[in-house]
Amino acid sequence: MAIQRLQEKTIAQIAAGEVVERPASVVKELIENALDADASSIHVEVQGGGRRLIRISDDGSGIGADEIALAFAQHATSKLREVEDLSSIRTLGFRGEALSSIAAVSIVQMVSRHRDEKLGMQVRIEGGTIVQQQPTGAPAGTVITVENLFYNTPARLKFLNKETTEKRHITALVTRYAMAYPQVKFVLEQDRRELFRSNGSGALADVMLKVIGLDNFRQMVEVDGYDAAREGRPAVRVTGYTSMPGFNRADRSHIALFVNGRSIQDTRLTYAVSQAYHSLLEANRFPVAAIMIEIDSQEVDVNVHPTKAEVRFRDLDAVFSAVQRAVREAIMAYDRSIPRIAEPSMQSQPRWEDRPTAQLDLDLEEDDPLTAIPEGPGRPVKPRTLPVLRVVGQVGAMYIVTEGPAGMYLIDQRAAHERILYEQFMEGYVNSTLPVRQINTTQPVELSAEQAGKVESALHVFEALGFKLEPFGPSAFVVRSVPEIVAHIDYVALLREMAVDTRVENRLIINICQHAAVKSGQILNQEAMQNLIRQLERCQTPLEAPDGRATLVHLSGDQLAHEFVRATGSATGKPG
Ligand code: ADP
Ligand code: MG
């Protein structure tokens, strides 16, 4: 093809693709316009997932009759004059691209009356061309109707998601804006059904309650953190709500982030929120949260992408740690029973003074050789996964206190031992070298009919795990062998537990290791602790028990020093 300049219309359609990715982007841009126009009430009506119709009515300032056509021109805006204005932008829009983009790929009708004018104006635009314009009576404010979205861009139409997906996106978007602007009344109607309404009371709690329902809202805690400016770092306020650990979801999409009233997408900050739950939530579970970040507008670049959904922070680290700390403190404050020691990856300062004292009562009886952990199997030495840790002692018959190169490490003896046994067991299981112990007693183990059925159909699995079981009557088994690691414990109780659910081998192995491991409350002698630590140092995954519980918490030298400064502060009445 010969080179030719594109026609204006084609240029506009191509440009529109960047702003208007999907129906929800239209809703977003129009809500932002209404908010920028100081609306106190915004009504959103959607049909056919936004493809057929999107209508947004607001009671904002309205557009002057002589400006309404200009509003639809490319790069026409009342919000910005020079590029310098960008650094202090307070409005949600500023690029002057939304109306022209939307109009380029749909059929638009707008009725608007400026608050200071008597008469309103009505325009109709088809595929970017004004086909009708006339004065009309109307209440102050703006009603914009977008129909047949993407009717003239078949390529985009083809890539549209299912209607239900678009509906979901639109609902999520409207509720997000309602949360960010609790003083504005929002109503969302999809296919003539009212799906959401906020009352404009100004209280975020009122909106959250509407968004997630009362039962869920009861499981939310308020976030309210403030990091003052210091050493060139900006002040950051973090407010909102976040869920207690028991209320969680399978994906991150329920973490809503806002910066200065703008709904944003930011994987790092989403991570900061979920990271605040470290060790409180299982892997792959995520909290529900609405987090409002306020920061000097000079600190944020909002002009990163045409959809304005991404922003850039001058000091992302400062924002990251403010968010993480505020969320962590909120979840810790609701339940004093959660230990407040920072994990190795935590950036926030630990709240050592709020630790649950019962678990840390000093109760050292190191010389009492009650439980010995045998040395690990004499195989080739595995690579080290933890630094060398020196055992200092035991606390509350639960935790082993150790010292390493980067400070103090507290180890949950039970979780750590489960981890060690699990890796040893797995290795033997995979290589078919599991040590087993023959059993000579013939006392059968009675199970319920249901459990017996499950065990019966999983006999080969049990055998691979070291349990040789022989059916004995309808619902009993004689135990011929057990894995060596449970030979010295009540393996009948273990078998009964395993019989509850025999489907997942890994779960059965975890069961075995949990039964075989040293318990909380067991006093360990120095040698047993040292053996345990030495084996943990060479586990493949030393930081978690096989069921995901943390094995270790770390308190760095800096954190310890910091705690002493704080303690000094409170002892003398001065801030730490
Ligand atoms: P931007 O919002 O980036 O300025 P838009 O294309 O979204 O660009 O809108 C162009 C202009 O039209 C805005 O600057 C504003 O002056 C006016 N406008 C659009 N929607 C409304 C509305 N609902 N109420 C009042 N004015 C509006
Ligand atoms: Mg706009």
Side-chain angles (χ1 to χ4, degrees):
M1 256 197 297
I3 299 178
Q4 269 186 9
R5 268 183 191 277
L6 292 173
Q7 287 181 354
E8 281 298 319
K9 205 167 171 155
T10 316
I11 294 174
Q13 282 183 359
I14 291 174
E18 284 188 42
V19 180
V20 189
E21 285 170 52
R22 60 195 315 166
S25 359
V26 174
V27 177
K28 169 183 188 293
E29 292 296 336
L30 298 181
I31 288 180
E32 290 191 349
N33 280 350
L35 290 167
D36 283 347
D38 272 333
S40 59
S41 165
I42 299 177
H43 190 282
V44 181
E45 188 188 335
V46 175
Q47 288 175 25
R51 261 260 305 124
R52 190 158 358 116
L53 178 137
I54 295 169
R55 177 178 294 134
I56 310 236
S57 321
D58 70 59
D59 60 354
S61 65
I63 305 177
D66 54 345
E67 288 192 332
I68 194 162
L70 184 60
F72 286 92
Q74 272 185 291
H75 312 296
T77 179
S78 57
K79 302 169 192 173
L80 178 102
R81 290 286 173 264
E82 334 219 291
V83 74
E84 286 74 37
D85 300 345
L86 262 182
S87 60
S88 54
I89 202 87
R90 298 235 137 252
T91 51
L92 295 165
F94 52 84
R95 297 173 61 105
E97 287 179 335
L99 289 187
S100 64
S101 299
I102 294 165
V105 293
S106 67
I107 292 166
V108 172
Q109 188 147 288
M110 182 189 265
V111 177
S112 187
R113 176 164 78 80
H114 194 274
R115 345 191 124 110
D116 303 334
E117 293 179 8
K118 289 214 173 59
L119 217 52
M121 185 66 93
Q122 175 178 352
V123 287
R124 183 178 169 85
I125 302 169
E126 294 182 4
T129 312
I130 300 187
V131 294
Q132 193 191 25
Q133 178 168 8
Q134 66 193 63
T136 178
T142 304
V143 180
I144 177 165
T145 310
V146 177
E147 286 174 282
N148 295 342
L149 187 62
F150 301 129
Y151 79 103
N152 54 354
T153 51
R156 184 56 64 106
L157 203 51
K158 221 168 40 198
F159 286 103
L160 266 195
N161 286 309
K162 284 205 307 265
E163 196 176 305
T164 46
T165 312
E166 294 303 330
K167 277 172 96 163
R168 213 166 12 88
H169 274 276
I170 291 169
T171 306
L173 191 111
V174 173
T175 52
R176 279 186 184 209
Y177 275 97
M179 288 190 266
Y181 293 84
Q183 71 281 15
V184 177
K185 250 185 246 170
F186 280 84
V187 178
L188 170 65
E189 240 180 77
Q190 296 225 49
D191 297 321
R192 303 190 195 283
R193 263 188 60 221
E194 184 175 305
L195 289 190
F196 174 77
R197 174 186 289 268
S198 67
N199 61 12
S201 71
L204 173 60
D206 285 345
V207 187
M208 289 291 296
L209 200 136
K210 288 287 180 64
V211 175
I212 62 175
L214 180 61
D215 280 351
N216 288 335
F217 186 66
R218 286 214 181 93
Q219 304 182 63
M220 302 292 284
V221 285
E222 195 169 356
V223 177
D224 189 4
Y226 180 72
D227 277 14
R230 68 187 158 89
E231 295 159 17
R233 305 203 121 185
V236 185
R237 177 173 290 287
V238 181
T239 55
Y241 285 87
T242 200
S243 58
M244 298 180 196
F247 174 30
N248 53 65
R249 293 280 183 254
D251 62 63
R252 296 174 180 80
S253 68
H254 300 267
I255 302 174
L257 297 171
F258 306 86
V259 174
N260 297 341
R262 184 186 300 280
S263 165
I264 61 152
Q265 240 118 67
D266 189 307
T267 43
R268 286 275 328 257
L269 295 183
T270 304
Y271 180 70
V273 175
S274 54
Q275 181 60 20
Y277 287 76
H278 185 72
S279 82
L280 299 177
L281 278 185
E282 282 174 40
N284 298 323
R285 298 301 296 182
F286 301 93
V288 174
I291 302 296
M292 319 289 169
I293 301 160
E294 281 162 68
I295 187 169
D296 186 338
S297 57
Q298 310 261 359
E299 292 286 328
V300 210
D301 183 0
V302 291
N303 187 31
V304 178
H305 190 263
T307 62
K308 298 161 288 169
E310 283 166 43
V311 297
R312 212 170 278 141
F313 294 98
R314 189 184 61 79
D315 188 345
L316 176 64
D317 285 348
V319 183
F320 186 99
S321 56
V323 168
Q324 193 188 40
R325 188 192 339 265
V327 173
R328 184 84 178 170
E329 276 173 5
I331 34 185
M332 289 309 175
Y334 95 90
D335 184 354
R336 303 241 141 219
S337 65
I338 299 175
R340 295 193 169 202
I341 305 167
E343 285 75 25
S345 49
M346 286 287 299
Q347 300 201 349
S348 66
Q349 294 297 341
R351 300 281 301 264
W352 181 253
E353 76 281 13
D354 292 319
R355 73 200 185 277
T357 45
Q359 293 179 13
L360 286 157
D361 276 344
L362 286 172
D363 183 16
L364 294 175
E365 291 179 55
E366 282 173 38
D367 295 330
D368 211 354
L370 283 182
T371 306
I373 308 265
E375 287 224 44
R379 300 207 187 83
V381 180
K382 299 217 174 60
R384 198 169 258 300
T385 50
L386 285 180
V388 183
L389 301 175
R390 182 178 72 83
V391 173
V392 177
Q394 191 187 22
V395 174
M398 281 191 186
Y399 304 114
I400 301 170
V401 186
T402 68
E403 187 195 7
M408 181 170 119
Y409 300 74
L410 271 179
I411 286 148
D412 180 323
Q413 63 192 40
R414 178 171 186 187
H417 199 208
E418 283 173 21
R419 162 55 58 188
I420 293 164
L421 293 178
Y422 178 80
E423 293 197 3
Q424 286 171 3
F425 193 95
M426 271 299 183
E427 196 179 328
Y429 177 62
V430 170
N431 301 325
S432 307
T433 56
L434 266 185
V436 296
R437 172 87 59 99
Q438 305 304 322
I439 306 292
N440 297 319
T441 53
T442 48
Q443 178 68 21
V445 180
E446 279 284 346
L447 296 174
S448 72
E450 192 195 346
Q451 292 179 354
K454 290 179 184 167
V455 172
E456 175 90 56
S457 57
L459 278 178
H460 58 289
V461 178
F462 278 85
E463 185 162 354
L465 297 175
F467 290 97
K468 191 155 175 47
L469 306 175
E470 272 169 24
F472 186 87
S475 59
F477 297 87
V478 176
V479 182
R480 294 292 180 204
S481 78
V482 299
E484 182 65 46
I485 64 164
V486 300
H488 63 285
I489 60 159
D490 181 359
Y491 54 80
V492 174
L494 166 62
L495 272 173
R496 288 186 196 287
E497 198 178 304
M498 292 169 76
V500 173
D501 185 353
T502 57
R503 286 169 304 176
V504 185
E505 252 165 77
N506 190 46
R507 186 63 241 167
L508 294 174
I509 296 174
I510 293 177
N511 267 339
I512 294 171
C513 297
Q514 285 173 340
H515 275 252
V518 53
K519 299 287 173 293
S520 303
Q522 257 172 285
I523 292 165
L524 303 180
N525 63 20
Q526 190 74 17
E527 192 193 339
M529 289 191 280
Q530 243 147 30
N531 284 340
L532 186 140
I533 298 301
R534 208 151 293 143
Q535 294 175 56
L536 185 69
E537 285 167 7
R538 294 178 191 274
C539 278
Q540 258 173 43
T541 315
L543 300 181
E544 296 188 344
D547 66 356
R549 279 144 55 229
T551 56
L552 174 156
V553 292
H554 173 211
L555 203 58
S556 72
D558 280 356
Q559 287 169 329
L560 280 169
H562 179 81
E563 289 309 320
F564 276 94
V565 174
R566 283 170 78 108
T568 306
S570 43
T572 58
K574 282 185 236 130

